[in-house]
């Protein structure tokens, strides 16, 4: 997966409220099952599994099989990648706006 595809997958995963809730729950647990994640949520275990698949595809969740049980854990690397992308884009915009400000301040007839 190239960098643009990776960022797209990360932000797509983060765009859903339920996935963000699941991500938060993963962050608070060492390892958890889909059934445990679904407890207290307004969605079914099957829906949680689908959300976990989307999070796994974006790199947020890792899985470990223990007998019949699949346990999920958080991998925070995609969050760092998203933060880096936001920071880089912010810096580019700061530079563009600074150049625009300079151009506007240097215009003749400016009061």
């Amino acid at each position: 997966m190239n960098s643009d595809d990776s960022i797209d997958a990360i932000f797509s995963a983060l765009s859903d409220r339920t996935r963000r809730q699941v991500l938060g729950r993963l962050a608070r647990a060492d390892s958890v099952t889909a059934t445990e994640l679904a407890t207290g949520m307004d969605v079914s275990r099957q829906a949680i599994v689908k959300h976990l698949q989307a999070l796994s595809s974006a790199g947020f969740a890792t899985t470990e099989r223990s007998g019949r049980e699949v346990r999920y854990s958080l991998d925070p690397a995609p969050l760092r990648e998203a933060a880096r992308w936001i920071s880089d884009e912010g810096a580019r915009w700061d530079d563009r706006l600074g150049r625009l400000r300079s151009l506007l301040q240097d215009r003749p007839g400016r009061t």
Side-chain angles (χ1 to χ4, degrees), residues 53-90:
Q53 288 170 342
L55 290 169
S56 293
S57 293
F60 284 109
T62 59
T63 60
E64 182 181 322
R65 184 169 286 280
S66 176
R68 292 180 40 180
E69 204 173 61
V70 177
R71 301 197 66 81
Y72 296 88
S73 299
L74 174 68
D75 182 345
L79 289 173
R80 288 190 293 272
E81 189 175 345
R84 185 173 37 254
W85 182 88
I86 290 168
S87 177
D88 290 349
E89 286 301 307

Side-chain angles (χ1 to χ4, degrees), residues 6-16 60 82-83 85-86:
S6 177
I7 285 294
D8 289 349
I10 289 167
F11 283 109
S12 177
L14 293 173
S15 70
D16 184 90
F60 284 109
W85 182 88
I86 290 168

Side-chain angles (χ1 to χ4, degrees), residues 20-86:
R20 290 191 306 272
Q21 290 173 337
V22 170
L23 196 61
R25 286 178 171 221
L26 284 174
R28 291 185 293 277
D30 288 331
S31 169
V32 65
T33 66
T35 301
E36 292 166 341
L37 285 169
T39 301
M41 294 190 74
D42 293 334
V43 294
S44 68
R45 180 199 171 281
Q46 292 81 5
I48 292 295
V49 169
K50 289 188 183 264
H51 287 297
L52 284 164
Q53 288 170 342
L55 290 169
S56 293
S57 293
F60 284 109
T62 59
T63 60
E64 182 181 322
R65 184 169 286 280
S66 176
R68 292 180 40 180
E69 204 173 61
V70 177
R71 301 197 66 81
Y72 296 88
S73 299
L74 174 68
D75 182 345
L79 289 173
R80 288 190 293 272
E81 189 175 345
R84 185 173 37 254
W85 182 88
I86 290 168

